[in-house]
Amino acid sequence: MSDFFGDLKPLRFDPEGEDLGFRHYNPDEIVMGKRMEDHLRFAVAYWHSFAFEGGDPFGGRTFDRPWFGEDMDAARRKADVAFEMFDLLNVPFFCFHDADIRPEGANFSESLRNFEEIVDIFERKMETSKTRLLWGTANLFSNRRFMAGAATNPDPDVFAWSAATVKACLDATHRLKGANYVLWGGREGYETLLNTDMGREREHAGRFLCMVVDHARKIGFDGTILIEPKPQEPTKHQYDYDVATIYGFLKDFGLEKEVKLNIEQGHAILAGHSFEHELALARELGVLGSIDMNRNDYQSGWDTDQFPNNVPETALAYYEILRDGGFTTGGTNFDARLRRQSLDPEDLISSHAGAMDICARGFKAAARMLEDDALEAPRRERYAGWDTPEAQAMLLSDLDSISERVISEGIDPQPRSGRQEVLENIVNRYV
Amino acid sequence: MSDFFGDLKPLRFDPEGEDLGFRHYNPDEIVMGKRMEDHLRFAVAYWHSFAFEGGDPFGGRTFDRPWFGEDMDAARRKADVAFEMFDLLNVPFFCFHDADIRPEGANFSESLRNFEEIVDIFERKMETSKTRLLWGTANLFSNRRFMAGAATNPDPDVFAWSAATVKACLDATHRLKGANYVLWGGREGYETLLNTDMGREREHAGRFLCMVVDHARKIGFDGTILIEPKPQEPTKHQYDYDVATIYGFLKDFGLEKEVKLNIEQGHAILAGHSFEHELALARELGVLGSIDMNRNDYQSGWDTDQFPNNVPETALAYYEILRDGGFTTGGTNFDARLRRQSLDPEDLISSHAGAMDICARGFKAAARMLEDDALEAPRRERYAGWDTPEAQAMLLSDLDSISERVISEGIDPQPRSGRQEVLENIVNRYV
Amino acid sequence: MSDFFGDLKPLRFDPEGEDLGFRHYNPDEIVMGKRMEDHLRFAVAYWHSFAFEGGDPFGGRTFDRPWFGEDMDAARRKADVAFEMFDLLNVPFFCFHDADIRPEGANFSESLRNFEEIVDIFERKMETSKTRLLWGTANLFSNRRFMAGAATNPDPDVFAWSAATVKACLDATHRLKGANYVLWGGREGYETLLNTDMGREREHAGRFLCMVVDHARKIGFDGTILIEPKPQEPTKHQYDYDVATIYGFLKDFGLEKEVKLNIEQGHAILAGHSFEHELALARELGVLGSIDMNRNDYQSGWDTDQFPNNVPETALAYYEILRDGGFTTGGTNFDARLRRQSLDPEDLISSHAGAMDICARGFKAAARMLEDDALEAPRRERYAGWDTPEAQAMLLSDLDSISERVISEGIDPQPRSGRQEVLENIVNRYV
Amino acid sequence: MSDFFGDLKPLRFDPEGEDLGFRHYNPDEIVMGKRMEDHLRFAVAYWHSFAFEGGDPFGGRTFDRPWFGEDMDAARRKADVAFEMFDLLNVPFFCFHDADIRPEGANFSESLRNFEEIVDIFERKMETSKTRLLWGTANLFSNRRFMAGAATNPDPDVFAWSAATVKACLDATHRLKGANYVLWGGREGYETLLNTDMGREREHAGRFLCMVVDHARKIGFDGTILIEPKPQEPTKHQYDYDVATIYGFLKDFGLEKEVKLNIEQGHAILAGHSFEHELALARELGVLGSIDMNRNDYQSGWDTDQFPNNVPETALAYYEILRDGGFTTGGTNFDARLRRQSLDPEDLISSHAGAMDICARGFKAAARMLEDDALEAPRRERYAGWDTPEAQAMLLSDLDSISERVISEGIDPQPRSGRQEVLENIVNRYV
Ligand SMILES: [Co+2]
Ligand SMILES: [Co+2]
Ligand SMILES: [Co+2]
Ligand SMILES: [Co+2]
Ligand SMILES: [Co+2]
Ligand SMILES: [Co+2]
Ligand SMILES: [Co+2]
Ligand SMILES: [Co+2]
């Protein structure tokens, strides 16, 4: 037992409590027939919680953690503290990249050995911990070898390195019984079109993804393969721009049934969308998988990865997820990092606890809205005209016949109120 | 002959001239084996040039045109002035919506009669004018009946009205030998997700587009059907967000070979992309059709539709088009409106003349870059590693075999300079 | 009594009611020693509620109101309905521009007569209505004469017209016992720097404002003169960009004690700030006057003027106002318009009622946070180091002596946690 | 002589050359009566050129420089290469922060000794080099001690440290005969309003600046004190947001005659302005000092600090500077960093050379526009109505007398064309 968290006690549901605890998140509360823990499926992100040092583009490390260091001892200390935090938070899941959990070795093989040793440690810890793996992933963006892309690098050796890395991470995820495997293409994009063969890079990205899907099948991984959209940053343009873009890409490679999406609020915002838009679109396209529930500052043009703190926003997000039937393999990951001035161990706990409460409040509001049919009844009513046989027949007809009917029947459509403010008021009764 | 343009004379190529004329655009100059006029295929937009009254969200009409009015006489005067302007500018093409050219009638049939009468007038004028039709389109956004969408309206009667309208516009485009037909879905989107059935609306949009393609075939229209992307405005979210989004939509309805895109610089900017990105992506996806060469102010968050005025930017745009082999049915439309303070007839001529010169300068620079292999040689060299049989074999292999090779061969990729600034310098030798 | 609102009844506080009413806004509830009505001082905006026709840049009128028309009868019908709505909403204030309430005449004098006749009507209505005037203002942006600015127009005659108009509006505001007078410089800015003499225009704007302040004094108006910041739209750049910009302008003309600010959430967002930032800054600079509590869509780059609907946001706004001691002459105006699809009379009522409830919830949360010292105690503690005499002495010293001390004392400052997430959690206990 | 730059030769003006050289920048060419070198006053930024390692928020060091390291030997090697590069580029100026040029010591005194030793080295090198110091500055943002601000830190000890640091840097700048001293407040702002006492921090910032001005006078520094505006990043909000904001701040502390501004294109863009706007405004307010001529990517929401590459943009920037009479102590600094993929020594030279050429082209175009009175003649003409005694008398009058005149004279102002497109065409004849 490290003493990093001092005398902090495991957090409990205590709606009136003054200490660190959950005021709204009650894992065992039954909502829509299921425990909240099983609905929300919270996950801690290893990288932001344990590997982020507090740097930003204009400043270096601010955090002072006993596990910082580039050797295996440090990695082991980090793993100890991580599982202690999972216990304190009573969180059912975590997520990791290879690079978060092990030091880089002198070459691929050494890095792999380091990685596997820590995965062994995870495996042992998970025998006694309640915390399972929501997803694993590979960091194909931090090291300078990836500066011009991973699967889309002009150098085939980088493609090879990336493929070998994903194999290792996917194998480890499978071993740890991960529910999903995520790909985030942070360097799959370009800094300038002037040196980029976008068509060729797209082909390579497609082939790479096919290989990943094939490998998952081959090893018997029955979790979900997820892509995480983000429009830009670090690159000027990232190929996995948003939900709609990835959908077209998946269609091109015949993968729209094989691969789903891990959607992050902050990335939706950077792409010019609301979070609920991206979720709703993914649902309609059949590719809604999992979420990163970390917000972006609305006045910042870069990825701020902040913990969620706005109940009306989380309610609208969970509403779209509940309309999809709720998570299956997916869950609620906090791809959120402490502000770099939040130096204390308590900040790490408090930030997660607050986020879990915010999600719980939003989730419960969403569930009640859905159970009450509060939004769905008016929505159905608005489109009711399309439920007639005539309307359906028109959809299957042609311009000539429709045009004749418009003229012969003197069709003259009359607008009806869209009632946006009324519907917003309805939502506000629930949040 | 109206006297709107007073004693303005037809513009001519006069590189040293002080009067209104072209300093750079020489229609007959041969570039890459073709006349510039045939490369650039400039078009005047009827709506902005003749129907825009100078209003904005905080103010009404500023322009005072002798053809303003809501009757057929006004529409005829407008047509007269339009063709006079086409002659003055020596412009090979124009574009129009139904609503620009005719007054709205009391019902569909009357609007249609008005429309067809003006189309007759166009047909007669085009017998003697050199100016042809680049594309026709239907205005399915201004009238209040479209406030909740056209093909995606909750009311099937609006779908019907829209279908009948597109039939009329497509028929007219065919009659006038239009080279393309454009669909811009200004109201195909939503103001709030709360009242929107996005899945249903997407299905209706898809069926609508299929009907349009079918009708084009049926009447023997051999021009190109084009969709114009725009992310938002007037709606909060428009379904035809950007090139990548439309591509996924076309794939879903099996139309990616039938339909191409009309890409506007301003809309690319609003979607978070550079214009050249959208053009390059469309080219790689095989859907690059035509362009609206009007810029957006980089500091404004709405569609400013300004005439182009930056040669380095137009050069990069035409470079992507030339890499696609140049326009086939497409062309360079100026979907640009005068600033609302630019009240004078001369402003209308001068703005177009300046835009044509800017395009000509950019185009010639692009052609020289391509002929000199100035960017393509370094691009090929950057990806040369992929041209080996080994690299190609790897693309067809699997994660296991690649991983084995990485380990056994001790692969250790070394970064090479991306040379962005050097390439930017190269471009600047041409512009 | 018009029948526009049919059988809608005056809204009442009814926390559990299912009908249209207030669930949270109880005018008589005492918060921090004052009635909520007297704290919040809600106002209806005449322009959006009664003059907005539903148009946007791509479409015309959608609303169908019995009072639309450009004659005095229509203006009188509009006034009748307006005061009926004020009664239904039990709202203590309204706001207006000259152009909202009267038809434009053939010349200045006729417009003035029209205006004064309606002001007479208002005066009579206000004898029996509870609703008072929060502020009056002049519309110096819609008519084409203002296209290049009002006080900053290159034509001195437009300056003169604008001055005469403001005189009329300020006189009327005084007559109607308005609590404030607002200037929004929608056209005081530029479309292009190329034709603009920014220095000269700034001088004219300063002189104009001085004249307005002098006139207010002269007529004995003891309300507050307010400027409303907005960064752009309709113009590319507006001189009254944001709070900080206006402050510098006021300082230049010695008006920082004479003029305060009317701050709108949507305009704060467009300027790249949070609403609470603009409010806090205005408070620190001593120029916080009044608010327009209408939000901007976070994904739209133009002024959407939507009713507020997010309690955590309104809470942070009222918190800054309460830290300023609450409103004196200012209040909460809804410079908000219905979405153009919200066609029904009920939408007009429901939107305002929902907004008032959202504000009431936010306000009550803010008051509790302040009463509990929940944020102020940690804030004071964070800066406590500055309360020592040594720290204060240092502030009055010089670089040399400080440098000597840093070296001689070996000063080595140690960072302390900023606790952002903890503070966000505290806020979330209240909202 | 290090061999970092291999056999690269000093760059020369060679308009037709194929090698690395200047095609447009001829230091000795006389423009408007002065050598171009003396007009443009180019400076290399020490930090980006020699201290930037290629990191970004998602990746670490990509550059591999022989001078990287945290000891004094490394710092000396860096200085050697820096002055070699200044010679190769024939650049008349450079700029530095303390932290770029020396390793951080164990305490303030040791850091200071390291700094002074390198300053000694600079002094000796400058005896033989043509390159002088455009400005010095202090890095008060990278070290974790500054995470919550420098002059605005809640901890007075950080204020003290910052004051001592600025003293050292200002003294060194004075010793090296620097033409200016710059303050950029990268951490003077906030991450969250919740923990910030904005009023107190503003007071401290004002006092700090007063001390800096006093110290400059005391030591006889006759260069200019400059503040560099930036709206955000690294913080959510920076107090030195833009030109207008800083102007108000300077007025409050009576420093508007003592302090000028160093304006960066990229920061103007991030603040929602064009670069030429910020320059023109600073000129009108009398605070235009110097420029950082590095652009921001228009599609990125963070500070990209790229070398300029668009001639029309640089032309409009230098036009505003020439309207101010040109630089006095100021100059053209490239606060620009190589893209992190631009690994080669040649990239470092080529990027600067290209930037100098782009600036030279823009500058020469601007000078011709000004000499031809091409924009100023129409601008004067547009405002000519204000030059009459009547108009000037009106400016000094009051609302009552103006109103009387509007009514009695029946004033009815008529709009005149703003001719924006015509003026844009004029600019395009020059660029
Ligand atoms: Co993120
Ligand atoms: Co994420
Ligand atoms: Co447009
Ligand atoms: Co267009
Ligand atoms: Co507004
Ligand atoms: Co407002
Ligand atoms: Co910068
Ligand atoms: Co800078």
Side-chain angles (χ1 to χ4, degrees), chain B residues 228 230 264 266-267 294 303 305 335, chain C residues 58:
Chain B
E228 178 164 336
K230 190 176 178 189
E264 178 176 315
H267 301 174
N294 41 293
D303 196 15
D305 282 340
D335 186 3
Chain C
F58 292 84

Side-chain angles (χ1 to χ4, degrees), chain D residues 253-287:
Chain D
F253 292 91
L255 295 170
E256 73 274 17
K257 304 289 182 207
E258 310 291 334
V259 175
K260 290 191 165 18
L261 270 56
N262 182 48
I263 301 172
E264 178 176 314
Q265 196 264 10
H267 302 174
I269 298 303
L270 289 173
H273 307 301
S274 68
F275 190 26
E276 54 268 26
H277 169 83
E278 288 289 83
L279 295 171
L281 180 60
R283 190 191 61 237
E284 298 294 351
L285 298 174
V287 294

Side-chain angles (χ1 to χ4, degrees), chain C residues 190-396:
Chain C
Y190 60 80
E191 282 301 325
T192 176
L193 265 179
L194 297 180
N195 68 11
T196 303
D197 186 335
M198 200 159 41
R200 193 160 204 170
E201 294 200 0
R202 195 170 185 273
E203 281 303 312
H204 295 178
R207 266 306 298 153
F208 191 91
L209 184 56
C210 290
M211 287 189 206
V212 173
V213 169
D214 288 346
H215 188 78
R217 276 199 203 113
K218 178 174 164 185
I219 63 175
F221 177 71
D222 58 2
T224 309
I225 305 291
L226 299 166
I227 295 182
E228 178 165 336
K230 190 177 178 189
Q232 56 171 191
E233 204 210 8
T235 66
K236 170 182 169 55
H237 177 90
Q238 263 152 251
Y239 297 135
D240 298 332
Y241 200 82
D242 59 7
V243 169
T245 300
I246 296 177
Y247 180 72
F249 171 77
L250 293 176
K251 289 284 290 187
D252 249 6
F253 293 90
L255 295 170
E256 74 273 17
K257 305 288 182 207
E258 311 291 335
V259 175
K260 289 191 166 18
L261 269 55
N262 182 49
I263 301 173
E264 177 175 314
Q265 195 263 10
H267 302 176
I269 298 302
L270 289 174
H273 307 300
S274 68
F275 190 26
E276 55 267 27
H277 168 84
E278 287 289 83
L279 296 170
L281 180 60
R283 189 192 62 238
E284 297 294 352
L285 297 174
V287 294
L288 176 50
S290 196
I291 64 171
D292 276 6
M293 186 53 113
N294 42 291
R295 71 185 163 101
N296 223 60
D297 185 288
Y298 283 115
Q299 282 85 49
S300 300
W302 62 95
D303 196 15
T304 63
D305 282 341
Q306 291 176 258
F307 288 90
N309 76 346
N310 189 294
V311 172
E313 290 181 359
T314 57
L316 293 178
Y318 283 113
Y319 187 76
E320 299 299 336
I321 289 162
L322 285 172
R323 283 185 70 198
D324 201 38
F327 292 126
T328 53
T329 64
T332 301
N333 179 43
F334 297 116
D335 187 3
R337 60 178 187 270
L338 286 174
R339 299 305 86 196
R340 71 193 292 266
Q341 297 184 39
S342 298
L343 305 181
D344 298 343
E346 190 195 324
D347 294 319
L348 205 45
I349 300 298
S350 186
S351 58
H352 281 89
M356 291 159 83
D357 264 351
I358 289 292
C359 289
R361 288 172 69 183
F363 172 76
K364 286 188 280 191
R368 287 194 307 272
M369 281 200 289
L370 197 60
E371 290 181 312
D372 287 359
D373 213 26
L375 292 172
E376 297 316 305
R379 194 184 329 250
R380 283 193 306 274
E381 154 66 12
R382 189 168 183 242
Y383 291 84
W386 281 102
D387 296 333
T388 65
E390 294 77 15
Q392 290 302 308
M394 175 175 67
L395 264 188
L396 299 176

